[in-house]
Amino acid sequence: MSKFGFKLTPSGTINYDQGDFRLAEFIDQHEPSSRLCISCGACSATCTGGAFAKLEMHKIHLFIKRGMSDNVKTQIQNCMYCGKCQLVCPRGVNNRNVIRLILTHFKI
Amino acid sequence: MAFDPLVIPFSLGLIFLLIVVFYKYYTWIRQMPKPKNPPKGLNRIKAYFDASIEVIMESLLHRKIFKQNKLLGYMHMSIAFGWFMLIVVGNLEAKMTSTNAINPPYFPIFLNFFAPDRSLTPGHGIFSFTMDLFLAMVLSGLLLAFIKRSKSRLFGMRRTSKMRGMDKIALYSLWLIFPLRLFAESFNAYNHNSGNFLSANCGDFFATFLPVAQLEYSMWVLYSLSLGVFFVALPWSRYSHIPTEVVLIFIRHLGYRSCVKPTGYNMFDLYSCSRCGICIDQCQINILSETNKTVTAHYIYDMRVGNKNDFGLYSCLACGRCEEACPVGIKTVDLRIGKRYSETPQTVVKYNVPKPLKPTAHNVGYFSGCMGKLTPSVIESMHTIFRAANENVLHIDKEDGICCGRPLILSGRVDQAAQLIQLNKDRIVASGIKTLVTSCPICLKTFKEDYDLNIEVIHHSEYIEQLLETRKIKTKFTNQNVAYHDPCELGRGLKIYDAPRNVIRNVAILSENPNKNERELCCGGSLAGIALSQEQKQTLASDAIHQIIDNETKALITSCPLCKKSFTQTSVIKVMDIAEIISQNLILPAEHKVKEKQHVQEFVNYN
C-alpha cells in the first residue's frame, strides 16, 4: 500500500481484538432491535438533544458494535429522551431503550 | 377479668399487628414532605369530616366498585361492612353485658364464650339478631368471593389477580375466620339454648350429627388461631390495604400529594393496593404476549416483595387507565415513575444554551413541541388558523426548539428534566408572551404542572374553541363522520375532554366510541413505554383503532402529534389532527386565499 502513497492512520483503525464487547452483548441480549441499525443517520439528523450538545445516535450504535464503549459514555447523557429518533428510524430500532440500557450498563 | 388460654393466639396476633402497622406508618409519615397547601382552621375540621365520610363510602361500602359492577360491589361491601358492623355491634353488646369499665379487646370477640347466657342484657333480642344478620352477610360475601375465583366473568372481570406468597396464608386464614365463627357460635347457641335465626338453626342442624358439646371449645380455639394467623400475615399480604387505605384517605384530605420523586406517600399508595384486580382488564399491555408483568396489580406485588421486574417497570405506557379505574385512587403512574427515579442515578448535563428570544409585542406564543416537528402538517395548519384569525403569533420553538422535559421525567431522570425546564422557562419568560398555545399535550402537562409559568397555557384545541366562540374564524360544516381519540395526557392527564369535541362538532359529525373520556385507549406510542418494541407499539395502536372507529367513520381525529404519528402507521382510515380538520374547512375571504397559497409554499420550502 505504501508504494502507492496510501497508509492507514491509527486513529481510523478499528481494532476488534482490543474492543470491549460487554456493552454490545448486553444490549444485544436485552434490545435485539439494535442489530437492525444501518447507521443511516436519520436519528442524528432529527435529534433534539443533538442540537444543544454532542449526541449522534447512529455513531453510538457503530461504537457499540465496534467495542468502543468509552466513546459512548459521555455522549449518551445528553439525550433528552424525546423519542424522535425512534419515530424516524426506518428500521424500527428502539433507541430509547438502547440508551436506557447503556445508562444501566454504565450505572450512570 | 374474664380470661381463657384460647384468647392468646388472637391477642398476640393483634399486638403484633398493631406494633408493625404503627411502626410502618410512623416511618412513612416521617418520610413525607410537608404539603404545599394544607387545609387550615375550619377547613382542617372539614377535611377530617370529608375524610371520615370517604372512609365510610369507599373503605366500608365500596361505592366505586358498586358503580362498576353490583355483584362485585356487594362482595367487597359485605365482607368489609359486615365485619366492621360485627366489631361495632359486638363491642356495644359487650359494653352492655359487662359491668367492668374497660373490657380487654378479646372480650367482645369471644363474648358468647365468656357470657353465653345474656338473656337478661337489655336489647338482647336485637343484638343477637343483628350479629347473626351481619355474620350471614359476611358469609354471603365469602361465598361470592369463592365463586369469583372460578367464575370471575359473573363479576364483570375477565381476569383476576392471582394469589402469591404471603397472600395465600392471609387469604386462607381469612376464609376460615367466618365459617369457624359460625361453627363456634352455633355450637354455643345449641349448648346454651340461645342464638338467633342463623346460629340457632345451624346449631340444631349440626347437633343432629356432631358431638356439639365436645366440639365447641376447639372451635373457639380454631377461631382464635385463624384470627391470630390472619393478623400476623396481614402487614405482608394484600390485606394490608385494610388499615392503610384509611390512613391514605386521611393524608390525602390533609393535602399530602404524591410526586414523581418517591416519598412516604408512595409507600401508603403501595400498601393500599388490595390487588382486587379491577385494573387488570384496563391494561392494554394484556394484548401483547407478556401479560402479567406490566399489569399494575401484579407489578405492585413485585414492588412490595422486591422482585426485579424490568419489563413491568419500563413497558408501562403511563396512560393512567388503571389509575382511573382504581377504587382506592392509588397514583399508579407516580408509583412507577418514582421507581424509575430511584433506579436511575441522576446526572446534570452541560447543554449549549439556546439563543435567547428577544422580547416581542406578541401576545400569543406557539410551542409545537418535538413531536410537532415530525408532523409538520399540524404546525402548518396552526399557522393557517393563526393567519385566518389575524393573530400575530410567535413560534417559540421554530428554531432552537428544546424538549419540554416530560419524556425525561417519564423515564425517571427528573433532575436532568429540571435542567431542561429551566432552559425552556427562561426562553418563554424572555419572550414576554401572555398566552402559550401548544399542540402537544405532553408539553402542555409539563408546562402546567412543573413550570410555574405566570401566563395562560392552553392546548390548541382550547385555543381554536376560543377563536370559534369569538367568531374570529369561521368554518364550514361537512357531512363526514369522524371519531375522536382522547390523548392520554390531555384527557386523563389534564381532564380536557369537551374543548376538542366542541371544535370537531363545528366541522363534522362526531361519533363517540364506547371507550371515550376516562376510559380512552392509549395509542401505544406513549413516551413512557420505553421497553416496548416497534411491533408491540403497532399492535397496541391497531387494536386501539379498531375499538375506536366503526364502518361509518371517515377519519380519526386526535389532538396529539404523537398519537397521530402512531396511528398513521397502522390506520386503514385517514388520521388527522384537530388543527388540520379545522384549517381544511376554514371559510376564508378571496384575497386571503391567494396569500395563503404563498405562505404554504414558503412553509414547504422552509421545511
Side-chain angles (χ1 to χ4, degrees):
Chain A
M1 288 268 257
S2 55
K3 254 190 199 172
F4 301 99
F6 296 112
K7 63 174 185 178
L8 287 172
T9 52
S11 59
T13 27
I14 304 152
N15 195 336
Y16 274 89
D17 292 336
Q18 284 171 11
D20 177 8
F21 293 98
R22 278 173 302 175
L23 178 63
E25 279 160 19
F26 177 71
I27 289 173
D28 207 41
Q29 194 186 342
H30 291 91
E31 187 51 64
S33 72
S34 69
R35 284 181 228 161
L36 300 172
C37 177
I38 50 170
S39 291
C40 66
C43 42
S44 309
T46 191
C47 185
T48 315
F52 301 99
K54 190 169 170 59
L55 175 60
E56 289 161 310
M57 198 59 213
H58 72 293
K59 281 193 184 171
I60 287 174
H61 276 291
L62 274 182
F63 285 145
I64 295 169
K65 280 168 196 158
R66 289 172 182 171
M68 297 152 85
S69 305
D70 288 346
N71 300 22
V72 172
K73 223 173 187 175
T74 42
Q75 273 198 35
I76 210 71
Q77 293 181 43
N78 296 333
C79 172
M80 292 185 184
Y81 258 79
C82 66
K84 272 156 84 179
C85 48
Q86 225 164 303
L87 287 170
V88 297
C89 182
R91 306 282 287 166
V93 179
N94 196 353
N95 281 319
R96 293 175 82 226
N97 204 25
V98 171
I99 292 165
R100 182 182 76 80
L101 290 171
I102 299 170
L103 293 169
T104 9
H105 182 79
F106 288 125
K107 299 200 169 51
I108 313 173
Chain B
M1 195 190 284
F3 178 79
D4 193 279
L6 70 83
V7 302
I8 292 173
F10 164 79
S11 309
L12 285 181
L14 187 66
I15 292 167
F16 180 77
L17 171 70
L18 290 176
I19 292 172
V20 171
V21 161
F22 277 106
Y23 172 73
K24 278 190 174 183
Y25 294 171
Y26 176 71
T27 42
W28 295 342
I29 287 173
R30 277 179 62 113
Q31 287 166 8
M32 278 199 298
K34 286 261 175 314
K36 272 182 194 163
N37 303 312
K40 286 193 181 105
L42 269 180
N43 282 339
R44 203 173 172 81
I45 299 166
K46 193 175 171 294
Y48 278 114
F49 179 74
D50 289 348
S52 313
I53 297 286
E54 197 184 325
V55 168
I56 294 169
M57 294 311 284
E58 300 302 340
S59 303
L60 293 178
L61 299 179
H62 292 85
R63 186 185 51 167
K64 279 185 195 156
I65 306 181
F66 259 109
K67 276 188 195 165
Q68 171 149 339
N69 184 298
K70 298 258 179 338
L71 200 55
L72 190 68
Y74 176 75
M75 188 200 96
H76 284 273
M77 186 272 270
S78 59
I79 299 176
F81 185 64
W83 198 2
F84 177 74
M85 288 312 284
L86 277 180
I87 296 168
V88 171
V89 178
N91 267 296
L92 278 177
E93 197 184 5
K95 253 283 145 325
M96 304 290 275
T97 312
S98 159
T99 45
N100 298 341
I102 299 165
N103 290 316
Y106 56 77
F107 185 70
I109 312 289
F110 301 98
L111 184 65
N112 276 338
F113 176 79
F114 289 119
D117 187 22
R118 298 189 307 282
S119 48
L120 295 175
T121 316
H124 169 65
I126 300 170
F127 275 128
S128 84
F129 174 75
T130 35
M131 287 302 272
D132 266 17
L133 181 72
F134 286 119
L135 185 59
M137 189 173 168
V138 176
L139 286 169
S140 70
L142 219 58
L143 183 70
L144 288 175
F146 197 73
I147 297 170
K148 183 172 148 257
R149 302 226 62 78
S150 54
K151 300 253 183 287
S152 62
R153 274 172 195 265
L154 282 176
F155 297 79
M157 289 164 82
R158 277 196 286 173
R159 305 175 192 84
T160 54
S161 47
K162 290 203 171 52
M163 294 293 133
R164 293 155 87 177
M166 204 59 145
D167 285 348
K168 276 188 185 161
I169 299 171
L171 179 84
Y172 295 144
S173 55
L174 178 68
W175 276 5
L176 281 177
I177 289 173
F178 298 101
L180 284 173
R181 187 186 169 111
L182 177 70
F183 286 140
E185 297 230 323
S186 57
F187 293 179
N188 180 279
Y190 180 80
N191 291 339
H192 300 277
N193 203 11
S194 61
N196 212 295
F197 70 96
L198 185 68
S199 46
N201 291 335
C202 285
D204 289 347
F205 170 70
F206 290 126
T208 54
F209 58 94
L210 285 175
V212 165
Q214 285 84 4
L215 279 177
E216 190 196 332
Y217 189 79
S218 42
M219 281 302 146
W220 284 115
V221 173
L222 285 176
Y223 174 53
S224 172
L225 264 175
S226 62
L227 275 170
V229 171
F230 179 69
F231 287 153
V232 172
L234 186 138
W236 290 278
S237 73
R238 63 185 199 161
Y239 299 101
S240 63
H241 79 274
I242 300 170
T244 318
E245 192 187 334
V246 177
V247 184
L248 178 73
I249 289 172
F250 273 94
I251 60 172
R252 207 188 283 148
H253 276 272
L254 290 176
Y256 291 95
R257 291 286 176 269
S258 82
C259 60
V260 288
K261 291 185 185 180
T263 61
Y265 187 96
N266 294 40
M267 295 308 284
F268 278 108
D269 262 353
L270 192 61
Y271 282 86
S272 293
C273 173
S274 63
R275 298 187 48 228
C276 60
I278 289 174
C279 56
I280 299 179
D281 285 339
Q282 302 298 322
C283 189
Q284 285 172 263
I285 310 287
N286 281 334
I287 61 167
L288 306 174
S289 57
E290 285 157 293
T291 45
N292 299 3
K293 287 182 178 172
T294 313
V295 172
T296 306
H298 300 311
Y299 182 73
I300 281 185
Y301 175 83
D302 286 339
M303 227 172 139
R304 276 198 206 166
V305 298
N307 284 353
K308 199 162 168 60
N309 182 356
D310 264 4
F311 184 81
L313 181 57
Y314 288 103
S315 66
C316 172
L317 298 163
C319 65
R321 269 166 67 88
C322 50
E323 196 172 301
E324 207 61 52
C326 181
V328 187
I330 296 170
K331 298 283 171 209
T332 53
V333 174
D334 284 352
L335 265 183
R336 262 187 243 237
I337 297 176
K339 182 75 179 163
R340 288 179 188 185
Y341 173 81
S342 55
E343 285 206 347
T344 330
Q346 302 297 318
T347 46
V348 175
V349 179
K350 200 173 175 300
Y351 288 115
N352 301 327
V353 182
K355 267 181 262 163
L357 287 175
K358 286 176 192 133
T360 49
H362 297 82
N363 274 335
V364 181
Y366 175 59
F367 192 91
S368 53
C370 302
M371 290 302 149
K373 289 274 164 56
L374 294 184
T375 49
S377 56
V378 178
I379 303 180
E380 189 193 332
S381 309
M382 277 313 287
H383 281 300
T384 313
I385 293 167
F386 289 139
R387 284 191 295 271
N390 278 328
E391 290 264 2
N392 237 337
V393 175
L394 176 74
H395 191 164
I396 291 175
D397 59 345
K398 189 175 182 181
E399 279 157 7
D400 282 348
I402 200 162
C403 176
C404 63
R406 177 94 183 141
L408 277 169
I409 294 177
L410 287 175
S411 66
R413 304 183 82 79
V414 178
D415 291 357
Q416 204 175 328
Q419 210 183 341
L420 292 190
I421 287 171
Q422 196 52 47
L423 285 176
N424 240 334
K425 195 178 163 183
D426 292 346
R427 267 169 80 80
I428 294 168
V429 171
S431 67
I433 50 166
K434 306 277 186 308
T435 307
L436 181 61
V437 181
T438 168
S439 46
C440 180
I442 305 165
C443 305
L444 183 70
K445 195 167 162 72
T446 344
F447 285 155
K448 281 197 172 174
E449 288 175 2
D450 304 315
Y451 272 62
D452 290 327
L453 290 168
N454 287 325
I455 57 171
E456 188 190 18
V457 189
I458 51 172
H459 187 239
H460 70 319
S461 60
E462 292 174 296
Y463 180 72
I464 296 170
E465 192 193 19
Q466 283 177 16
L467 291 182
L468 285 166
E469 269 173 13
T470 50
R471 297 190 169 277
K472 281 190 176 171
I473 53 170
K474 282 177 191 154
T475 50
K476 58 175 181 285
F477 188 78
T478 54
N479 267 332
Q480 59 172 342
N481 239 321
V482 298
Y484 176 67
H485 166 258
D486 284 294
C488 302
E489 303 269 26
L490 191 71
R492 277 182 295 269
L494 294 162
K495 310 275 176 246
I496 298 171
Y497 299 115
D498 296 334
R501 289 186 165 78
N502 292 342
V503 170
I504 294 171
R505 286 201 186 94
N506 277 297
V507 289
I509 304 164
L510 180 65
S511 56
E512 295 283 11
N513 69 81
N515 286 325
K516 65 171 186 170
N517 294 2
E518 302 85 26
R519 293 172 54 79
E520 187 62 278
L521 298 160
C522 176
C523 67
S526 166
L527 288 170
I530 299 171
L532 292 178
S533 69
Q534 204 60 28
E535 296 81 52
Q536 286 172 322
K537 285 183 173 184
Q538 284 184 5
T539 315
L540 292 174
S542 75
D543 178 70
I545 287 180
H546 286 111
Q547 295 197 42
I548 292 166
I549 62 170
D550 53 26
N551 293 341
E552 305 285 301
T553 319
K554 290 283 175 289
L556 174 62
I557 312 292
T558 182
S559 44
C560 169
L562 182 55
C563 293
K564 189 194 162 189
K565 199 84 189 150
S566 351
F567 281 142
T568 320
Q569 290 170 356
T570 52
S571 177
V572 281
I573 59 166
K574 209 168 160 189
V575 184
M576 285 206 277
D577 190 274
I578 199 160
E580 289 175 83
I581 193 168
I582 293 293
S583 77
Q584 281 173 13
N585 296 305
L586 280 176
I587 300 172
L588 296 171
E591 74 273 8
H592 207 105
K593 278 184 184 163
V594 183
K595 274 190 198 165
E596 196 52 42
K597 269 188 185 165
Q598 290 171 357
H599 281 303
V600 171
Q601 197 54 48
E602 270 172 32
F603 186 85
V604 170
N605 292 343
Y606 176 80
N607 282 295

